[in-house]
């Protein structure tokens, strides 16, 4: 694995950690507020599965998750600019702006060539291992 792929692994790992921590925080706040719903378990499982597919080298999952992060960032920007309720409360405006920044960074990180290089190296390693296995038997 070259330096570009190693950097991509760290970018991807940081995105996964931030996403997992925010999912856990959201679930914790929902439990604390008494508003936890069973559908949240499905969302957490789907998020985990998609991030695992990205880690495992699936290009379609990488682009899907990057698009979802960028769409969430665009929605937060529109909400922050167009909603008088958000503009009236500076703490909500800061929260929405922070969410937009984090989503934009995650989407850009997933779309980066470094993550693509990591995925290509990961797929290449798996193919090399599967090709080498029959040769070692005989």
């Amino acid at each position: 694995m070259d330096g570009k792929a190693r950097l991509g692994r760290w970018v991807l790992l940081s995105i996964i950690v931030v996403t997992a921590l925010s999912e856990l925080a959201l679930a914790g706040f929902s439990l604390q507020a008494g508003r936890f719903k069973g559908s949240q378990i499905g969302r957490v499982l789907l998020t985990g599965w998609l991030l695992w597919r990205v880690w495992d080298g699936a290009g379609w999952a990488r682009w899907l998750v990057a698009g979802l992060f960028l769409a969430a960032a665009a929605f937060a920007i529109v909400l922050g600019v167009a909603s008088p309720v958000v503009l009236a409360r500076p703490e909500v405006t800061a929260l929405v702006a922070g969410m937009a920044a984090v989503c934009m960074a995650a989407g850009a990180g997933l779309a980066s060539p470094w993550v693509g290089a990591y995925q290509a190296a990961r797929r290449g390693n798996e193919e090399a291992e599967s090709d080498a296995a029959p040769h070692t038997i005989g």
Side-chain angles (χ1 to χ4, degrees):
M1 189 178 305
D2 65 350
K4 191 175 182 180
R6 273 192 287 274
L7 179 59
R9 179 178 55 194
W10 284 108
V11 168
L12 185 55
L13 188 60
S14 64
I15 291 169
I16 289 172
V17 166
V18 167
T19 304
L21 289 176
S22 35
E23 286 285 351
L24 288 173
L26 187 58
F29 289 140
S30 295
L31 280 171
Q32 186 179 14
R35 297 181 150 212
F36 187 80
K37 297 178 184 171
S39 62
Q40 289 177 314
I41 295 171
R43 186 195 73 238
V44 169
L45 290 174
L46 179 61
T47 301
W49 179 75
L50 278 171
L51 290 173
W52 172 253
R53 296 299 301 154
V54 173
W55 179 262
D56 207 29
W60 64 268
R62 169 185 170 215
W63 291 110
L64 176 65
V65 175
L68 289 172
F69 270 123
L70 294 173
F75 177 74
I77 291 169
V78 169
L79 182 67
V81 171
S83 175
V85 175
V86 172
L87 292 174
R89 299 183 62 192
E91 66 276 6
V92 176
T93 304
L95 179 68
V96 169
M99 185 182 103
V102 168
C103 288
M104 185 71 72
L110 285 170
S112 73
W114 302 296
V115 173
Y118 167 74
Q119 284 190 320
R122 184 149 172 100
R123 285 189 304 263
N125 288 344
E126 289 175 355
E127 290 170 5
E129 289 173 4
S130 66
D131 288 343
H135 300 294
T136 58
I137 295 172

